[in-house]
Amino acid sequence: MSLLDDIKDLRATATEALGKVDIADTLEAWRIKYLGTKGLVKAAMQSLRNAPREEKPALGQAANQLKVALTEAFEAQKKKLGSLGSKAKKTAPKLDVTLPGNRPKIGHAHIISQTVSEICEICARMGFEVAYGPEVEDELHNFIDLNIPESHPARDPLDNFYLYPGAMLRSQTSTVQIRVMENTEPPVRIIAPGRVYRPDTVDATHSFMFHQVEGLYVDEGVTMSDLKTTLDQFCKAYFGHEVETRFRPSFFPFTEPSAEIDVLFHYKDGSTRWIELGGCGMVDPNVLKAVNYDPEKYTGFAFGLGIERMVMRRHNIPDIRFLYESDVRFLHQF
Ligand code: DAH
């Protein structure tokens, strides 16, 4: 095929392609392909350099005509599309909604945050409001008003993060019980989720920072059976209705009597295991007195549960450190 035929062909295909252009984007693509500085017209002109001398004038003329014709056609098409305006866009190929989409890589709430939200929802259904307290605390709220004497091992300076004498990172969310009661007249029914800090050596089940959720219900006539029902319902709502709960006698300075709550899990292989979730009990009259509640008139229950424990148990997470390492391969599973 001669170079002249090539030029004719190029003109035909370019003109045909231009006829099909119906939106501004494809028009620009067409321009780049044919009239661009690295386009086919330019390439055709360059290829003429090697043509036999006697053919050059005719070829040169044809090539120039090609360029002029295509440029004019381009301008004409551009005008036409411009005047079509939005109508041209409407006739553009529609979005094919059956194609699989590109899922945008957006983040989501951390599993601990998701769990806190879920706990708040479950407790809201049982009439609990959510309260928060500061993570930097004083000894009055972390110990003294909670009936924890100076001699108690929990007050050992080596077992707490002191910032300076009298100020510390709270070691338990029980502080929020005091903060709520000193500002509210009974009845109170709150939960307080949040971070707590203890200088524990980090291993698969310990961290120097973890999360607890505190519960407190004070009113006239609150009893231990209210506590047991509330926690049993709570555990069934969070872990599933097949779990059982049990209460073991225990001791905490701020409750009397005190108990620890365990949850019984049934495993696929038929085995069962009791897992300790936290402490609870009837609010000690000394705590009520500390916040000027009349212990002759009011009684209450309180509980404090470990959130990491709950999360790890429900999602089968073997090591607490996974929860804090920000490894997206772990986090995206939840
Ligand atoms: N504050 C206790 C702890 O961190 C847990 C606890 C036990 C909270 C009994 C309570 C309670 O409200 O009644 O070990």
Side-chain angles (χ1 to χ4, degrees):
M1 222 168 44
S2 73
L3 281 172
L4 203 57
D5 289 334
D6 285 351
I7 290 172
K8 275 189 199 150
D9 269 5
L10 183 56
R11 185 162 171 172
T13 44
T15 310
E16 194 191 337
L18 188 62
K20 288 184 188 154
V21 166
D22 54 3
I23 55 169
D25 282 355
T26 47
L27 181 64
E28 179 58 9
W30 182 93
R31 189 192 65 76
I32 292 166
K33 179 171 176 188
Y34 292 101
L35 295 174
T37 44
K38 290 178 184 161
L40 293 172
V41 171
K42 187 97 179 199
M45 287 177 142
Q46 275 161 359
S47 71
L48 301 187
R49 276 194 233 135
N50 309 324
R53 184 172 256 274
E54 60 285 6
E55 287 177 21
K56 267 192 186 164
L59 283 171
Q61 200 185 12
N64 274 332
Q65 280 170 357
L66 168 71
K67 188 173 172 185
V68 171
L70 290 186
T71 307
E72 278 172 4
F74 169 77
E75 291 302 334
Q77 185 76 347
K78 192 164 147 186
K79 251 197 204 139
K80 195 169 135 201
L81 286 184
S83 68
L84 287 176
S86 57
K87 203 172 147 208
K89 284 201 180 117
K90 274 185 203 136
T91 59
K94 297 226 171 58
L95 175 68
D96 184 352
V97 292
T98 63
L99 286 174
N102 293 328
R103 201 178 276 270
K105 285 205 167 119
I106 51 172
H108 61 70
H110 188 278
I111 181 61
I112 296 277
S113 305
Q114 290 180 37
T115 307
V116 168
S117 303
E118 190 179 342
I119 290 170
C120 292
E121 247 170 61
I122 294 170
C123 292
R125 295 204 291 269
M126 298 195 278
F128 287 82
E129 281 172 48
V130 181
Y132 298 97
E135 291 177 21
V136 174
E137 265 297 2
D138 51 34
E139 291 177 312
L140 186 74
H141 294 89
N142 204 92
F143 298 128
I144 298 166
D145 282 359
L146 284 165
N147 199 35
I148 304 177
E150 186 97 52
S151 57
H152 195 278
R155 288 185 69 165
D156 187 332
L158 293 177
D159 286 336
N160 292 283
F161 283 118
Y162 274 90
L163 303 174
Y164 48 84
M168 59 186 297
L169 296 177
R170 70 179 177 194
S171 63
Q172 50 187 356
T173 45
S174 306
T175 53
V176 189
Q177 292 186 30
I178 304 298
R179 292 211 169 259
V180 169
M181 287 192 285
E182 60 187 13
N183 289 311
T184 329
E185 286 304 313
V188 295
R189 188 164 8 179
I190 57 104
I191 57 161
R195 296 190 183 108
V196 298
Y197 302 84
R198 292 177 198 176
D200 286 338
T201 307
V202 176
D203 64 20
T205 52
H206 293 88
S207 168
F208 48 83
M209 183 284 298
F210 57 99
H211 298 73
Q212 289 185 330
V213 57
E214 196 77 12
L216 175 72
Y217 177 30
V218 181
D219 199 353
E220 290 179 45
V222 177
T223 67
M224 187 94 183
S225 74
D226 295 322
L227 168 65
K228 290 183 77 173
T229 315
T230 303
L231 281 181
D232 186 67
Q233 289 298 311
F234 172 79
C235 291
K236 286 183 160 64
Y238 180 73
F239 289 110
H241 278 266
E242 65 286 357
V243 300
E244 291 165 45
T245 54
R246 80 176 174 197
F247 292 76
R248 269 180 300 108
S250 185
F251 175 81
F252 298 100
F254 31 88
T255 43
E256 181 57 39
S258 303
E260 264 161 298
I261 173 166
D262 298 340
V263 181
L264 181 67
F265 291 93
H266 298 264
Y267 293 98
K268 286 209 180 88
D269 64 2
S271 64
T272 56
R273 199 170 141 206
W274 288 103
I275 305 287
E276 184 194 319
L277 270 200
C280 59
M282 299 305 291
V283 180
D284 193 289
N286 285 340
V287 174
L288 296 176
K289 275 188 221 150
V291 294
N292 290 322
Y293 280 16
D294 180 358
E296 298 297 326
K297 189 169 175 200
Y298 296 106
T299 52
F301 69 66
F303 58 85
L305 312 178
I307 293 183
E308 277 78 357
R309 276 213 175 159
M310 297 173 55
V311 171
M312 290 168 73
R313 183 54 41 192
R314 182 157 120 183
H315 300 283
N316 268 322
I317 298 167
D319 193 315
I320 197 170
R321 287 166 287 199
F322 283 130
L323 293 168
Y324 310 127
E325 278 171 352
S326 301
D327 184 336
V328 287
R329 291 169 304 177
F330 169 77
L331 294 174
H332 88 251
Q333 300 175 68
F334 305 101

